[in-house]
């Protein structure tokens, strides 16, 4: 018995030693690499401005001009909220009239250059400017207000909170695009930042747009670092930080991170220039305390979502060489957020490592060893129990009581035990089919066909032909007739169950292919016997009769009511009884 116990413990020690000495193929990852991989999927590029086509009656020529600036920003809320600078989105904030003025100035610059004149001298000549303006016809104006995610997907944005452009310390704009499960950056406490603290800046410097790089490189954020040089205040008394990290046009609005990967601020403007050259080490930062103020105004929260958790879990497994479970994490991230910039490459690298035999087997080894330990304990314990039972059941008789050939008379006979019944294997239970679950919807990978305009989904709605009949229970609810937009001339009967209007054919029955229309924009149906229209929380709103009437949330429709889809007046329909 004692030998058996000693042998069992010896096996346990040997198995434990094998587990601890099992080879592990883990990658050595620096803190800088970790911070970069964590932050890059959350940083976006922002375009703001106008494109225009102008016809000059004086010479009969058509000019195509543009006024579009670029900046950076970062997701702060999984529901598509982004923090950037007010001056990055200022052209959109000022509106179309100011946008036309900017396009006209670009036109003046172009004709001045063609005639070898100084554009500033023309712009200072008010009578001449007014004359030229009277001779110009704006044939087309296109508003550019786009967010470009690191995978190249393009979304129109809406301003939710706006501070003040350069010149004041609250150079903050909170914008929103329509998507879910975005990877975010957590805000840190800028009040705890000390002088000479190390910081990292992530963004899209315009200096990288040399024309010599491919489109994929244009979507790759640049990462620079430096230190906090000073704490200062702007002219309105708002706090700003001065940092030594290099920055240029396009970096504006980019997040400034501490070594924990938290946002302690974002770049706002640079220092002065000397002889036309930018002075390095003179970048200023809006602190996170100011960002938080505008984030609350916009109704955004800064809580991490499931994508952030799964992505970090996948990275940790990837760096440990455990590629198979890492792939499962990355595939979940890709399903939840198809626009993620890193998952495709990480899945591909993991599959390559597995094919080359580089996967760490520490997980498999641990399972085998633990299983072996459990088996040893079970077998050893069963053997010990069996021997103990046999010893207990054996009669304790003195040696003198036995004679050769049988038991000595006068001692009781050994008791008889009932014969053990043979083991009967239980009849197999009938197979119960596993409950089936609906197949999960596939999410298309982001693959924009053009830059910077996204490709809308295909139409799926089926409209009733004009005058088409319905059952008597349905006919009383009337119909909607589209008067403008891509569905103009179409008519659709209103049914009690209703239908959704939106951009995404997977979410809406009536599809309008326009990025200014939300994926599920509005619903038309019957409630309490009345035909109602309900806005589904759209980005650009739904309006009754005129845009000036303001956005509606839910309203009962009367015959002749006109519904306007989006503040951009993308499409209109009339309710008919």
């Amino acid at each position: 018995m004692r030998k058996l116990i000693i042998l069992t413990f010896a096996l346990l020690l040997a198995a434990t030693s094998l587990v601890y000495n099992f080879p592990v193929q883990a990658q050595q990852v620096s803190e800088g690499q970790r911070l970069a991989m964590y932050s890059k999927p959350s940083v976006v590029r922002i375009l703001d401005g106008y494109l225009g086509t102008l016809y000059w009656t004086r010479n009969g020529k058509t000019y195509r001009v543009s006024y579009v600036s670029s900046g950076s920003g970062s997701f702060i809320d999984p529901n598509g909220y982004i923090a950037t600078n007010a001056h990055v989105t200022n052209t959109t904030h000022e509106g179309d009239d100011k946008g036309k003025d900017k396009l006209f100035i670009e036109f003046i610059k172009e004709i001045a250059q063609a005639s070898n004149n100084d554009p500033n001298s023309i712009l200072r000549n008010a009578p001449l400017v007014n004359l030229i303006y009277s001779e110009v016809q704006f044939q087309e104006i296109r508003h550019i207000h786009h967010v470009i995610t690191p995978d190249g997907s393009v979304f129109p944005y809406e301003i939710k909170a706006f501070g003040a452009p350069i010149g004041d310390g609250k150079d903050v704009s909170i914008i929103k695009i329509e998507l879910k499960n975005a990877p975010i950056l957590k805000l840190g406490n800028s009040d705890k930042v000390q002088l000479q603290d190390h910081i990292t800046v992530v963004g899209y410097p315009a200096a990288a747009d040399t024309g010599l790089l491919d489109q994929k490189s244009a979507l790759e954020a640049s990462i620079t670092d430096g230190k906090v040089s000073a704490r200062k205040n702007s002219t309105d008394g708002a706090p700003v930080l001065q940092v030594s990290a290099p920055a240029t046009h396009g970096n504006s609005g980019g997040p400034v991170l501490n070594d924990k990967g938290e946002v302690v601020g974002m770049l706002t403007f640079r220092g002065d220039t000397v002889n036309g050259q930018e002075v390095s080490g003179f970048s200023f930062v809006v602190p996170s305390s100011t960002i938080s103020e505008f984030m609350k105004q916009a109704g955004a929260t800064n809580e991490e979502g499931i994508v952030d958790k799964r992505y970090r879990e996948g990275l940790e497994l990837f760096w440990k060489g455990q590629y198979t479970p890492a792939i499962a994490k990355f595939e979940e991230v890709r399903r939840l957020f198809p626009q993620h910039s890193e998952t495709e490459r990480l899945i591909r690298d993991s599959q390559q490592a597995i094919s080359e035999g580089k996967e760490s087997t520490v997980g498999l080894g641990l399972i085998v060893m633990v299983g072996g330990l459990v088996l040893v304990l079970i077998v050893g314990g069963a053997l010990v129990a069996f021997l103990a039972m046999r010893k207990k059941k054996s009669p304790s008789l003195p040696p003198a009581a036995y004679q050769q050939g049988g038991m000595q008379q006068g001692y009781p006979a050994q008791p008889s035990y009932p014969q053990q019944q043979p083991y009967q294997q239980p009849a197999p239970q009938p197979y119960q089919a596993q409950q089936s679950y609906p197949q999960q919807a596939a999410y298309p990978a982001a693959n924009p066909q053009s830059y910077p305009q996204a490709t809308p989904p295909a139409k799926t709605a089926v409209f009733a032909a004009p005058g088409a009949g319905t059952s008597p229970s349905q006919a009383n609810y009337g119909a909607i007739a589209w008067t403008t937009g891509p569905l103009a001339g179409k008519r659709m009967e209103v049914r009690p169950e209703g239908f959704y209007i939106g951009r995404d054919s997977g979410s809406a029955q009536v599809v309008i292919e326009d990025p200014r229309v939300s994926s599920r924009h509005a619903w038309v149906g019957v409630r309490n016997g009345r035909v109602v229209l309900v806005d589904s929380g759209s980005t650009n709103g739904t309006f009754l009769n005129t845009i000036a009437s303001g956005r509606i949330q839910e309203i009962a429709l009367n015959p002749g009511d006109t519904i306007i889809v989006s503040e951009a007046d993308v499409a209109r329909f009339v309710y008919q009884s």
Side-chain angles (χ1 to χ4, degrees):
M1 178 66 64
R2 186 176 300 169
K3 291 181 178 179
L4 179 61
I5 295 174
I6 293 174
L7 178 61
T8 301
F9 276 102
L11 289 172
L12 288 173
L13 289 173
T16 304
S17 175
L18 284 173
V19 171
Y20 277 107
N21 290 283
F22 211 90
V24 179
Q25 297 179 359
Q27 300 182 29
Q28 298 298 321
V29 183
S30 68
E31 291 304 315
Q33 288 175 301
R34 287 178 180 272
L35 188 146
M37 289 297 291
Y38 288 153
S39 61
K40 282 167 58 179
S42 305
V43 182
V44 300
R45 190 172 189 181
I46 300 169
L47 300 179
D48 178 68
Y50 287 85
L51 305 176
T53 302
L54 285 70
Y55 176 74
W56 194 14
T57 58
R58 179 181 298 187
N59 59 10
K61 291 184 178 180
T62 299
Y63 295 82
R64 291 179 175 84
V65 294
S66 64
Y67 183 87
V68 180
S69 60
S70 68
S72 305
S74 58
F75 285 113
I76 55 170
D77 184 307
N79 292 315
Y81 288 88
I82 296 166
T84 186
N85 287 148
H87 79 262
V88 169
T89 63
N90 190 49
T91 302
T92 292
H93 182 259
E94 289 181 334
D96 291 348
D97 290 340
K98 292 287 186 179
K100 289 177 63 176
D101 292 343
K102 289 180 169 62
L103 290 177
F104 179 72
I105 292 173
E106 295 302 313
F107 165 73
I108 292 293
K109 291 179 180 178
E110 185 169 336
I111 63 174
Q113 183 179 6
S115 59
N116 295 320
N117 289 314
D118 180 14
N120 291 324
S121 63
I122 297 177
L123 292 171
R124 286 193 293 265
N125 189 337
L128 179 58
V129 169
N130 291 333
L131 175 62
I132 297 175
Y133 193 87
S134 66
E135 298 172 342
V136 170
Q137 298 175 359
F138 287 86
Q139 294 183 330
E140 181 185 6
I141 296 178
R142 181 181 167 195
H143 182 199
I144 303 297
H145 54 130
H146 291 150
V147 168
I148 306 173
T149 54
D151 74 315
S153 298
V154 182
F155 300 85
Y157 68 78
E158 180 182 3
I159 298 175
K160 293 295 186 180
F162 190 84
I166 292 178
D168 293 314
K170 297 189 176 182
D171 185 17
V172 179
S173 178
I174 305 298
I175 61 177
K176 185 181 185 299
I177 63 176
E178 190 169 330
L179 51 69
K180 302 292 184 183
N181 299 318
I184 72 160
L185 296 177
K186 292 286 289 182
L187 295 186
N189 189 346
S190 55
D191 294 336
K192 293 184 178 180
V193 173
Q194 303 294 323
L195 297 183
Q196 292 301 296
D197 278 358
H198 180 261
I199 52 94
T200 302
V201 176
V202 188
Y204 294 89
D209 297 338
T210 62
L212 302 177
L213 303 176
D214 60 17
Q215 182 175 328
K216 183 178 179 181
S217 298
L219 299 172
E220 185 77 19
S222 297
I223 301 176
T224 57
D225 67 345
K227 292 184 177 181
V228 177
S229 305
R231 282 181 171 275
K232 298 188 176 182
N233 292 322
S234 64
T235 54
D236 64 350
V240 292
L241 302 175
Q242 180 182 330
V243 298
S244 62
T248 183
H249 298 287
N251 272 121
S252 294
V256 177
L257 310 175
N258 61 18
D259 287 342
K260 295 180 181 179
E262 300 170 332
V263 178
V264 293
M266 62 182 174
L267 286 179
T268 175
F269 59 93
R270 290 158 291 112
D272 294 332
T273 59
V274 176
N275 296 326
Q277 299 296 318
E278 296 178 1
V279 178
S280 61
F282 246 114
S283 299
F284 291 91
V285 172
V286 176
S288 59
S289 57
T290 303
I291 301 173
S292 179
E293 173 187 338
F294 287 91
M295 184 186 72
K296 293 176 182 177
Q297 290 183 22
T301 62
N302 192 223
E303 297 298 326
E304 289 185 337
I306 187 65
V307 163
D308 298 293
K309 297 175 183 177
R310 293 294 179 266
Y311 177 57
R312 295 195 179 212
E313 290 169 358
L315 282 178
E316 293 301 325
L317 291 168
F318 178 84
W319 289 328
K320 291 177 182 177
Q322 299 178 29
Y323 299 111
T324 298
I327 289 175
K329 299 289 185 182
F330 296 140
E331 286 180 340
E332 183 177 1
V333 170
R334 182 173 60 180
R335 177 178 62 82
L336 292 169
F337 187 70
Q339 295 80 19
H340 202 283
S341 61
E342 306 300 317
T343 52
E344 290 291 343
R345 179 182 61 81
L346 288 167
I347 291 173
R348 185 174 61 251
D349 291 349
S350 297
Q351 292 170 340
Q352 180 68 24
I354 292 172
S355 67
E356 295 175 357
K358 295 180 179 180
E359 180 157 28
S360 169
T361 52
V362 64
L364 177 61
L366 183 60
I367 293 173
V368 172
M369 294 305 170
V370 170
L373 294 178
V374 173
L375 181 62
V376 167
L377 289 174
I378 293 174
V379 173
L383 185 58
V384 169
F386 175 73
L387 293 176
M389 289 178 63
R390 286 194 59 182
K391 183 177 180 181
K392 183 177 181 180
K393 291 178 181 179
S394 298
S396 180
L397 299 176
Y402 290 93
Q403 290 182 352
Q404 196 175 27
M407 296 186 66
Q408 186 180 14
Q409 188 176 5
Y411 287 91
Q414 188 173 8
S416 60
Y417 296 90
Q419 184 175 5
Q420 189 175 8
Q421 295 298 321
Y423 173 74
Q424 296 293 331
Q425 185 174 2
Q429 297 295 321
Y431 173 73
Q432 298 291 331
Q434 187 176 7
Q435 183 179 359
S436 61
Y437 295 88
Q439 185 174 2
Q440 192 169 24
Y443 287 77
N447 185 19
Q449 300 298 318
S450 63
Y451 179 85
Q453 192 67 30
T455 302
K459 270 192 278 190
T460 60
V462 178
F463 293 90
T470 59
S471 67
S473 62
Q474 296 171 341
N476 293 335
Y477 297 117
I480 65 170
W482 295 90
T483 57
T484 66
L487 304 178
K490 301 290 185 180
R491 184 173 180 273
M492 187 173 188
E493 303 292 339
V494 178
R495 299 179 180 179
E497 67 272 17
F499 52 83
Y500 282 99
I501 301 168
R503 189 183 72 248
D504 184 6
S505 60
S507 302
Q509 291 78 41
V510 180
V511 178
I512 301 177
E513 299 176 345
D514 192 291
R516 294 165 293 183
V517 176
S518 298
S519 297
R520 181 178 282 186
H521 198 97
W523 178 83
V524 178
V526 179
R527 288 184 179 175
N528 299 322
R530 291 292 305 275
V531 175
V532 299
L533 181 138
V534 181
D535 184 271
S536 302
S538 64
T539 300
N540 293 317
T542 308
F543 303 84
L544 178 66
N545 296 323
T546 65
I547 294 178
S549 65
R551 299 187 180 202
I552 62 173
Q553 295 183 345
E554 179 174 345
I555 190 169
L557 296 181
N558 296 310
D561 280 346
T562 296
I563 300 302
I564 304 171
V565 180
S566 172
E567 63 184 2
D569 201 355
V570 173
R572 296 188 179 206
F573 67 82
V574 175
Y575 172 59
Q576 301 172 342
S577 61

